[in-house]
Amino acid sequence: MEFSLHNILFEIEKRENKLFPNSSISIDDAFEMTSYLQELLALAKSHIVKHGFKDEYKEIYFFRHIKPQILGKLIFYNKVCRIETGCPVKMGTVYKKYFASHLRNLKEEYSEHFCHSDFYRYYRSGRTDKDQQYFRLGKIDYHDGLNSFVFEIDPNFSTYYDYKVARIIANELLYNFLVVKIKSQGEGELTFQTLDETKNILWSDSKNALIELIYALHAARVISNGNVGIRQIALIFRVVFRMPLTDMHHAFHRMKTRAGSRTTFLDKLKKSLEEYMDQDL
């Protein structure tokens, strides 16, 4: 496998788009992604241990954005393999209850380990003022009462908190996966995925453009008076357009810091609508 730290996230997304063009993840595809990401993580570790980082910015970026994406998706696809291989039946009430039980476990884990932690709030808010503490090698403070597995991590390839980000990413992906599974089996409920008349309705712009639109709708509070979260809005678009929406939080973070306009797609929409209006004048 060829390895490039610069293009690593793009290569992961390209592999996912090839395997899951309709957002449906089979056991074989999940296993293939697990093997692929495991090898990718080993190559990244070998590269970092051998070459290190040119500066602290690249080090922080790797442990905040790149490694957590690899490890988070590795955790997610491995979990999908375990869940799918343990599924008792393919249809019916037992099937729905099986996935609902996994969703309850996920919510309990979130409540116990994430939602009340200072780091989770720091990470979710997009703050960067403590990145030197959280995402650089050799900066672990053992007085903070960290989980015991911190003593088992490789100090040359982990900052402890990169693993916590990976778990956040994995849990978000797993949440979306389980919700889709449960919704697709709703009694008397037809989802967009089952309607033949919508099979040719596809999102034809970039995934980042759709994520920009989703965050704009959420920020404007135009859906259910703002009482619907990002996950729920994303799920609607994911089902309608059969498009995997992974890495939404990191994609949005990159939008906030990109050069030029931070709202490229919304600017494009505004211009297109104004030009369309002018046609009738």
Side-chain angles (χ1 to χ4, degrees):
M1 178 190 295
E2 295 184 4
F3 179 76
S4 170
L5 202 59
H6 178 70
N7 296 321
I8 197 167
L9 298 185
F10 172 75
E11 292 299 324
I12 293 173
E13 183 176 332
K14 186 167 70 173
R15 177 69 67 96
E16 288 176 321
N17 291 336
K18 180 180 178 181
L19 287 175
F20 322 126
N22 296 318
S23 301
S24 179
I25 305 175
S26 70
I27 296 175
D28 290 341
D29 289 342
F31 180 77
E32 181 176 333
M33 282 301 300
T34 300
S35 300
Y36 168 71
L37 291 166
Q38 191 172 17
E39 183 178 354
L40 204 59
L41 190 65
L43 288 172
K45 178 178 181 179
S46 176
H47 178 88
I48 296 305
V49 171
K50 181 178 180 180
H51 300 286
F53 299 97
K54 291 183 179 180
D55 53 52
E56 64 181 42
Y57 170 80
K58 293 185 182 300
E59 180 180 351
I60 291 172
Y61 186 83
F62 177 79
F63 287 115
R64 175 162 182 151
H65 299 289
I66 298 180
K67 185 189 171 187
Q69 277 294 317
I70 306 172
L71 182 56
K73 290 184 176 182
L74 174 58
I75 294 171
F76 164 67
Y77 286 115
N78 181 60
K79 186 69 173 179
V80 169
C81 285
R82 293 171 57 190
I83 291 174
E84 289 284 16
T85 53
C87 184
V89 290
K90 281 296 182 183
M91 300 291 287
T93 304
V94 176
Y95 176 93
K96 186 175 181 180
K97 287 182 177 179
Y98 175 76
F99 287 100
S101 68
H102 280 285
L103 185 59
R104 284 195 301 273
N105 292 338
L106 186 66
K107 289 179 177 179
E108 289 174 2
E109 180 183 347
Y110 164 78
S111 178
E112 181 179 354
H113 297 290
F114 293 104
C115 67
H116 300 301
S117 74
D118 292 337
F119 175 76
Y120 182 79
R121 288 191 290 269
Y122 170 86
Y123 174 73
R124 276 303 185 202
S125 67
R127 287 169 53 193
T128 59
D129 52 290
K130 292 185 177 181
D131 278 4
Q132 287 269 353
Q133 172 186 338
Y134 290 138
F135 300 110
R136 292 201 66 196
L137 294 171
K139 296 290 185 177
I140 299 175
D141 187 351
Y142 295 98
H143 296 288
D144 285 346
L146 306 175
N147 290 335
S148 59
F149 77 84
V150 68
F151 301 108
E152 301 175 12
I153 65 175
D154 187 340
N156 296 313
F157 190 61
S158 181
T159 68
Y160 175 74
Y161 288 97
D162 61 78
Y163 173 77
K164 295 183 78 68
V165 175
R167 287 290 302 276
I168 293 170
I169 292 171
N171 284 5
E172 183 171 295
L173 292 171
L174 189 58
Y175 175 88
N176 289 331
F177 169 79
L178 292 171
V179 168
V180 169
K181 283 288 186 178
I182 295 168
K183 291 294 185 182
S184 67
Q185 291 300 310
E187 294 181 7
E189 178 183 10
L190 288 176
T191 66
F192 285 102
Q193 289 175 308
T194 65
L195 300 177
D196 289 338
E197 59 266 31
T198 65
K199 65 183 179 181
N200 295 321
I201 299 178
L202 302 172
W203 181 260
S204 53
D205 209 303
S206 69
K207 184 177 75 172
N208 278 347
L210 184 56
I211 292 173
E212 185 178 324
L213 176 61
I214 289 170
Y215 270 92
L217 294 172
H218 174 69
R221 303 176 66 85
V222 294
I223 298 179
S224 298
N225 296 312
N227 295 320
V228 177
I230 287 289
R231 286 177 173 177
Q232 286 75 23
I233 298 173
L235 178 61
I236 294 170
F237 283 94
R238 178 180 174 180
V239 172
V240 171
F241 296 120
R242 302 173 177 83
M243 185 174 188
L245 289 172
T246 58
D247 191 23
M248 281 190 55
H249 177 74
H250 287 88
F252 180 66
H253 180 75
R254 290 191 292 270
M255 289 176 196
K256 293 196 295 183
T257 57
R258 64 188 174 191
S261 174
R262 297 189 296 176
T263 55
T264 305
F265 180 65
L266 297 180
D267 294 343
K268 175 183 173 181
L269 285 183
K270 180 176 182 293
K271 180 181 178 182
S272 297
L273 180 58
E274 289 176 341
E275 291 176 352
Y276 185 77
M277 289 174 171
D278 290 342
Q279 292 177 7
D280 295 331
L281 296 179

